[in-house]
């Protein structure tokens, strides 16, 4: 489902999709392994919005780009937990949005997370990509649907990777969030009614009115409803909250959490 890529010289470690596409599509999520950040942010913190020393963050970014030959990139989103997907063009740089797409080579789509779900998508022809920041708010508000629509591709030709996020065993939500998702799932008209709200999506916790939510499962439902075959959806096999040596987690560490970065681009 996913694979781990290590660079012994730098100590950096990436999580990448194990999908049947050529090396022309580069896609991965960073971990906190390696890097210059110290203290609470120890490792490869990618987030300038954190309380980390910005010089360390920039050193981390420089190290990652050099180690893995990432094309120079100054396009970043201002992630606001929205449902907006924008093309990677200069006029939309730093836009308040949570997904970006492009059909240009050597043009990475970059998403920052620390428990939220990174969704990386490309097509069979390997000529268009999108990176999506799918926290529960964005997921509920159809960020995946809007991003797939922007690609204008046959869903049968799309390949999806669900990067490291908080897993069900750690993702506790309230009844109001559960109810919102349960209702939204009833509108997934391309799925049989019996398949729209699987019982195992939400498991009651020991706290009254609280549930453990499966964000990976919720995303897969949306993707399947769009017509993307389940056999072409990869990943969903890590838990950022439960693996502090490898991942940053905002729910675990709050303002002391760094940020992971997810990249996807078409290589020249």
């Amino acid at each position: 489902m996913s694979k781990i890529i290590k660079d012994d010289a730098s100590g950096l470690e990436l999580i990448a999709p194990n999908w049947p596409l050529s090396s022309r599509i580069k896609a991965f999520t960073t971990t906190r392994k390696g890097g210059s950040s110290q203290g609470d942010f120890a490792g490869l913190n990618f987030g300038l919005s954190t309380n980390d020393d910005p010089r360390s963050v920039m050193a981390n970014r420089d190290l990652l780009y050099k180690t893995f030959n990432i094309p120079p990139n100054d396009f970043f989103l201002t992630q606001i937990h929205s449902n907006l997907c924008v093309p990677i063009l200069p006029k939309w740089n730093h836009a308040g949005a949570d997904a970006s797409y492009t059909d240009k080579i050597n043009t990475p789509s970059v998403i920052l997370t620390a428990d939220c779900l990174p969704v990386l998508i490309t097509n069979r022809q390997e000529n268009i990509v999108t990176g999506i920041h799918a926290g529960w708010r964005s997921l509920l508000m159809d960020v995946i649907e809007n991003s797939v629509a922007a690609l204008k591709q046959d869903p049968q030709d799309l390949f999806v990777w669900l990067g490291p996020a908080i897993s069900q065993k750690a993702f506790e939500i309230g009844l109001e969030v559960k109810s919102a998702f349960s209702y939204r799932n009833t509108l997934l008209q391309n799925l049989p009614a019996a398949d729209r709200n699987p019982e195992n999506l939400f498991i009651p916790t020991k706290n009254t009115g609280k549930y453990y939510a499966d964000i990976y499962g919720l995303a897969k439902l949306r993707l399947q409803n769009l017509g993307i075959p389940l056999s072409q959806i990869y990943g969903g096999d890590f838990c950022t909250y439960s693996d502090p040596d490898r991942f940053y987690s905002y729910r675990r560490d709050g303002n002391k959490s760094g940020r992971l970065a997810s990249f996807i681009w078409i290589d020249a």
Side-chain angles (χ1 to χ4, degrees), residues 231-242:
S231 61
Q232 290 167 209
I233 303 172
Y234 298 82
D237 40 6
F238 287 92
C239 179
T240 49
Y241 182 96
S242 305

Side-chain angles (χ1 to χ4, degrees), residues 10-244:
S10 65
L12 298 185
E13 179 181 289
L14 309 177
I15 310 295
N18 189 16
W19 53 17
L21 298 172
S22 79
S23 60
R24 184 168 192 244
I25 298 296
K26 305 296 185 184
F28 59 82
T29 298
T30 62
T31 69
R32 66 188 301 173
K33 301 281 189 177
S36 302
S37 296
Q38 303 295 319
D40 294 329
F41 304 98
L44 192 81
N45 176 26
F46 216 77
L48 283 171
S49 65
T50 66
N51 293 322
D52 193 7
D53 184 337
R55 293 170 297 181
S56 297
V57 175
M58 294 308 296
N60 292 338
R61 293 185 177 192
D62 186 57
L63 176 64
L64 180 73
Y65 276 66
K66 287 182 177 178
T67 301
F68 293 101
N69 298 313
I70 300 172
N73 170 66
D74 63 359
F75 187 95
F76 290 93
L77 299 174
T78 302
Q79 297 172 191
I80 57 173
H81 299 279
S82 70
N83 60 6
L84 299 179
C85 178
V86 300
I88 299 179
L89 297 171
K91 67 178 178 178
W92 303 124
N93 197 9
H94 303 296
D98 288 86
S100 62
Y101 70 96
T102 186
D103 59 1
K104 297 180 175 63
I105 63 169
N106 289 336
T107 306
S109 173
V110 187
I111 297 297
L112 302 188
T113 59
D115 283 334
C116 290
L117 174 62
V119 182
L120 305 182
I121 303 178
T122 188
N123 62 348
R124 196 181 306 276
Q125 295 76 23
E126 302 181 350
N127 59 15
I128 197 165
V129 296
T130 184
I132 306 169
H133 168 238
W136 72 260
R137 292 176 180 84
S138 296
L139 185 59
L140 183 62
M141 294 188 295
D142 298 358
V143 70
I144 287 178
E145 287 82 351
N146 292 348
S147 300
V148 169
L151 298 178
K152 297 181 172 61
Q153 300 290 309
D154 182 343
Q156 296 281 332
D157 286 336
L158 295 179
F159 288 78
V160 181
W161 183 60
L162 306 178
I166 190 169
S167 76
Q168 187 169 22
K169 63 185 176 181
F171 186 32
E172 188 178 61
I173 62 168
L175 178 60
E176 74 287 357
V177 177
K178 173 185 181 293
S179 297
F181 272 111
S182 296
Y183 176 74
R184 178 61 184 85
N185 287 352
T186 68
L187 307 179
L188 301 178
Q189 301 294 332
N190 296 326
L191 298 179
D195 295 341
R196 296 173 194 168
N197 270 304
E199 289 185 11
N200 60 0
L201 281 179
F202 304 102
I203 300 172
T205 76
K206 62 183 179 182
N207 299 316
T208 303
K210 301 291 186 180
Y211 298 83
Y212 288 125
D214 182 2
I215 198 167
Y216 289 128
L218 288 164
K220 287 178 181 178
L221 278 181
R222 299 299 190 91
L223 293 161
Q224 288 177 269
N225 185 65
L226 290 171
I228 301 172
L230 184 59
S231 61
Q232 290 167 209
I233 303 172
Y234 298 82
D237 40 6
F238 287 92
C239 179
T240 49
Y241 182 96
S242 305
D243 193 349

